[in-house]
Amino acid sequence: MELTELAECVTSLSCLVTQSAAGLTIGMLLFLVASGLTLIFGVLGLVNFAHGSFYMMGAYFALAAYGVTESFAVAVLAGIVGAALLGLVFERFLLSRIYGQDVLMQLLVCYGIILILDDAVKIIWGADFRSMGVPDSLRHPPFIIAGGVVPYFYAILFAITAVIAAVLAFGMGRTRFGRIVRAAAINPGMVGALGINTTLVYASVFAIGAGLAGAAGALSAPIRSVVAGAGVSILIESFIVTVIGGMGSIGGALAASLILGFTRSFGSIGFPLFVEGAMFIIMALVLILRPSGLGGRRGS
């Protein structure tokens, strides 16, 4: 434990700014993945254990697109679209057949998808660690705020993820499609009786969820290693977010992602060997005090 260093950081404005910037960036990237996971569960009732693989594929699609175009914007778009289309294919041909099935059946099918995508990555890109590196167009001096250092690329990542989060919130809360999705999550039979194609709604929701995971993978590719199996760790953290935030709650996922982002950022100073444990302790406390999660509905 390095609690003395943590106390010094919390009382130092420069350290507080630096670690808060890192925590916000980590939290918002995690939110993109977790929001897709909780959206899929909330509407489809599917515990998508393969969700981390779409994060991984988004990173690889971005890496491939950047190698051809050297444009980070194109790379991010390729990661989003590629992961969404891949998710749509798996949803239509495999996952749509296990909606409403036992969780064990869902786990087996999703695990099969994980193995398929991991082996496909090894065949196409190899098993070695790869890295995109920060694009030259985004290599700028960091922002200095109250003595704290905020890397330019971190600021860009936070801005992009914040925009995506705002678009998602607006789309789910203010548009006709969002109202249909919310209705389908509560009473799909009634939605179908009104003449709405629920199959198309389900496919669209899954594609959006996979695209959000792909966006996180593409955005994190310049600062994280890209390797087969990279989706496992992010999947575990996404499930922690989903449990803390509440299954199916986008707002809860945002709050939980930021909590874990700050836990990882400041925990790397105060308890670097116990960061993962701290995250699970937070999850356990939420399960004890509020089993439905921060944004979940309490059962009757």
Side-chain angles (χ1 to χ4, degrees), residues 28-146:
M28 291 303 290
L29 286 174
L30 182 56
F31 168 70
L32 290 183
V33 185
S35 61
L37 180 66
T38 196
L39 180 65
I40 290 172
F41 176 82
V43 178
L44 308 182
L46 174 70
V47 183
N48 184 19
F49 292 98
H51 196 67
S53 294
F54 297 113
Y55 165 89
M56 176 190 70
M57 294 307 300
Y60 273 104
F61 286 141
L63 188 67
Y66 184 76
V68 174
T69 65
E70 295 188 355
S71 169
F72 184 62
V74 173
V76 172
L77 184 61
I80 296 173
V81 175
L85 291 177
L86 190 64
L88 186 61
V89 170
F90 278 108
E91 191 275 338
R92 283 293 84 208
F93 289 98
L94 284 177
L95 297 174
S96 62
R97 303 175 184 275
I98 59 171
Y99 290 159
Q101 297 292 323
D102 184 75
V103 174
L104 179 60
M105 177 65 72
Q106 297 179 4
L107 173 61
L108 291 174
V109 174
C110 290
Y111 186 63
I113 293 175
I114 292 173
L115 296 178
I116 291 171
L117 292 180
D118 281 355
D119 285 349
V121 162
K122 293 176 183 177
I123 292 172
I124 298 173
W125 287 283
D128 295 333
F129 286 83
R130 301 169 68 92
S131 178
M132 180 190 296
V134 178
D136 292 336
S137 59
L138 298 177
R139 292 180 181 271
H140 294 284
F143 297 102
I144 306 299
I145 303 175

Side-chain angles (χ1 to χ4, degrees), residues 144-233:
I144 306 299
I145 303 175
V149 178
V150 180
Y152 182 83
F153 187 68
Y154 276 30
I156 295 298
L157 284 186
F158 177 76
I160 295 174
T161 52
V163 169
I164 295 176
V167 171
L168 177 65
F170 178 81
M172 290 295 106
R174 300 289 182 177
T175 65
R176 180 175 183 271
F177 176 76
R179 290 191 289 271
I180 291 174
V181 168
R182 296 201 307 275
I186 298 172
N187 194 334
M190 180 61 70
V191 172
L194 293 174
I196 297 173
N197 188 341
T198 54
T199 299
L200 181 60
V201 172
Y202 289 166
S204 300
V205 168
F206 196 93
I208 291 172
L212 289 169
L219 290 169
S220 62
I223 56 176
R224 292 183 178 178
S225 296
V226 182
V227 66
V232 175
S233 60

Side-chain angles (χ1 to χ4, degrees), residues 215-258:
L219 290 169
S220 62
I223 56 176
R224 292 183 178 178
S225 296
V226 182
V227 66
V232 175
S233 60
I234 197 71
L235 175 66
I236 294 173
E237 293 186 13
S238 298
F239 272 113
I240 295 175
V241 167
T242 303
V243 171
I244 294 176
M247 299 294 267
S249 172
I250 300 295
L254 176 59
S257 297
L258 293 177

